[in-house]
Amino acid sequence: MSKQPPKADPSLRLQACTAADRADQAQLFNQCFKKGLDERALAWRYDRNPHGTSLTFLTRNAQGTAVSGYSCSPRRALAQGDQASLAQVGQTGAVVTHPDWRKRGLFTDLDRACMAETRRAGWPVVFGLPNRRSAHIFLGLGWKEAGKLR
């Protein structure tokens, strides 16, 4: 028996974020993880990152509350130390969904929106270091596993 995909919820709104959204992103992060994070930390990570500005997204419910988020931050990468290969690539991070909103396909929409933006930005590669809870979701969306870190 195949698993049915979740039905789209028309009351949800996916948005690209700006610096004005960092407090909402931090609040969502803190609802999902034990380690606390404030908007200043996110502002450094997303807006003042030495490698460039991150691509960040939120899904908001009908009341405007952030219920799911996704980020992809630029990184500079070299192939085998060759300066001629220096390129800006993306690293996913802070993939969060409030526990009350999980299993509704929110991550799928966020991933698709973010990957469309990385293509527009010209990033030739995007990588992530998903945890055990989310790795299968990335793989289900077509990401390739390059290895495992312990």
Side-chain angles (χ1 to χ4, degrees):
M1 181 181 207
S2 66
K3 183 178 166 183
Q4 292 294 317
K7 291 190 167 103
D9 183 338
S11 71
L12 297 175
R13 180 175 45 94
L14 189 148
Q15 71 170 82
C17 296
T18 68
D21 297 296
R22 301 306 175 227
D24 289 344
Q25 289 175 301
Q27 180 180 17
L28 176 62
F29 184 92
N30 292 332
Q31 291 171 335
C32 298
F33 298 107
K34 293 176 184 166
K35 179 176 131 184
L37 192 64
D38 64 20
E39 67 183 281
R40 288 176 307 184
L42 287 182
W44 182 90
R45 185 184 294 178
Y46 297 155
D47 304 314
R48 295 188 303 274
N49 177 337
H51 294 194
T53 304
S54 298
L55 304 172
T56 63
F57 296 85
L58 283 174
T59 302
R60 294 183 182 274
N61 65 16
Q63 292 73 39
T65 304
V67 297
S68 189
Y70 192 106
S71 71
C72 192
S73 296
R75 301 289 183 248
R76 293 183 188 126
L78 293 173
Q80 300 179 349
D82 178 4
Q83 287 294 324
S85 71
L86 181 65
Q88 193 165 33
V89 302
Q91 179 183 3
T92 63
V95 176
V96 297
T97 300
H98 189 281
D100 295 344
W101 288 86
R102 292 181 182 153
K103 308 258 187 244
R104 298 183 192 205
L106 302 181
F107 174 80
T108 299
D109 292 340
L110 287 165
D111 182 67
R112 287 181 180 145
C114 190
M115 292 307 104
E117 285 302 311
T118 65
R119 282 189 291 282
R120 277 194 274 286
W123 297 355
V125 173
V126 177
F127 69 96
L129 302 170
N131 61 32
R132 288 185 297 272
R133 284 182 168 165
S134 63
H136 73 282
I137 301 169
F138 280 94
L139 293 172
L141 291 173
W143 285 71
K144 304 292 183 227
E145 184 176 304
K148 294 184 184 212
L149 300 174
R150 289 182 57 99

